[in-house]
Amino acid sequence: MRSLTLLATLLALLAGLYNYFDSRLEQFYIFEPSQLHDLSQRAIAAHGNDTRAVVNYIVSELDEKIPGNHLNKEEEWVFNNAGGAMGAMYIIHASITEYLIIFGTAIGTEGHTGRHTADDYFNILQGTQLAYVPGSYEPEVYPQGSVHHLRRGEVKQYKMDASCFALEYARGWIPPMLFFGYADTFSSTLDFPTLWATSRITGREMIANLFKGKM
């Protein structure tokens, strides 16, 4: 009986802490979706389909305008398998409440978005992304320069028919999303070197940002 009481008290405490911080998430963000969308469009206008130049433009401007040295400016690309889709990513920022990455593939992919504890903004830098929700008879089409907003808790099928790269921004609770990102390693790819590289970079950036006071 005593153990059950302690467990109930602990769960109530954790729930209270979660609700407290969840209602105050806005104060921890350093990026704004509208500003990232504007930056993506200006980068495309300046460099068109030269995606490497587009990415450099974005990272350079963020480095100038985001205070606190919260960005990873080394292009450490790693494969990413999640929800049956495969691509690669460059982690620009990772913290408890936000991540900002370049995600894409030069040959196309398709899969499940996952159902997440964060809002996800997919700014298309090159190519086109398609999305589908049950009950619809037409795809959602997101061309270069557009943004696909996957709201917290929602889920879709998505597809990139050919080469497609995006500036992907998530805001909310990021750690629970890692389970989705890791699942394919254990269920299909068994690519543990990539799992280690992803964990090393993500952990390094999250911990470094925590030490800088960024949740």
Side-chain angles (χ1 to χ4, degrees):
M1 191 66 179
R2 180 184 238 178
S3 297
L4 288 175
T5 302
L6 286 173
L7 180 60
T9 303
L10 180 61
L11 289 174
L13 179 61
L14 290 174
L17 285 171
Y18 173 82
N19 289 330
Y20 175 82
F21 284 112
D22 194 57
S23 65
R24 290 162 176 79
L25 279 175
E26 288 286 340
Q27 71 188 61
F28 301 117
Y29 299 145
I30 59 174
F31 303 101
E32 285 296 329
S34 59
Q35 293 171 351
L36 292 173
H37 187 206
D38 174 69
L39 174 56
S40 298
Q41 290 182 317
R42 287 189 287 105
I44 293 166
H47 297 287
N49 287 321
D50 185 349
T51 311
R52 185 179 300 277
V54 169
V55 171
N56 290 337
Y57 183 106
I58 289 169
V59 175
S60 295
E61 182 166 317
L62 289 174
D63 187 39
E64 291 176 6
K65 294 187 175 180
I66 300 295
N69 194 27
H70 295 296
L71 305 182
N72 174 26
K73 289 169 281 186
E74 299 294 326
E75 281 201 43
E76 300 171 290
W77 285 92
V78 291
F79 274 127
N80 179 257
N81 289 80
M86 183 174 186
M89 65 178 176
Y90 155 36
I91 299 172
I92 301 171
H93 172 87
S95 62
I96 301 300
T97 58
E98 295 174 289
Y99 76 66
L100 185 68
I101 67 174
I102 302 296
F103 173 81
T105 172
I107 60 174
T109 193
E110 178 181 5
H112 189 292
T113 61
R115 195 182 300 273
H116 300 301
T117 52
D119 281 271
D120 188 272
Y121 300 84
F122 208 72
N123 295 275
I124 309 298
L125 304 179
Q126 186 247 313
T128 299
Q129 185 194 50
L130 304 176
Y132 170 75
V133 293
S136 175
Y137 289 97
E138 299 293 334
E140 299 173 9
V141 182
Y142 299 96
Q144 183 183 45
S146 66
V147 58
H148 177 191
H149 179 195
L150 182 70
R151 290 173 174 80
R152 179 174 172 172
E154 292 185 353
V155 64
K156 297 180 183 180
Q157 177 189 10
Y158 76 96
K159 182 178 184 181
M160 286 133 43
D161 274 327
S163 180
C164 183
F165 288 86
L167 177 70
E168 182 180 358
Y169 171 56
R171 53 163 39 191
W173 295 110
I174 303 305
M177 299 177 72
L178 297 177
F179 296 107
F180 176 73
Y182 287 166
D184 279 20
T185 298
F186 298 99
S187 64
S188 62
T189 70
L190 303 179
D191 183 5
F192 295 108
T194 291
L195 178 69
W196 164 245
T198 302
S199 301
R200 176 179 57 81
I201 297 167
T202 304
R204 182 194 69 204
E205 295 302 310
M206 282 187 168
I207 292 168
N209 280 307
L210 273 175
F211 276 116
K212 295 168 188 171
K214 169 66 178 76
M215 275 192 63

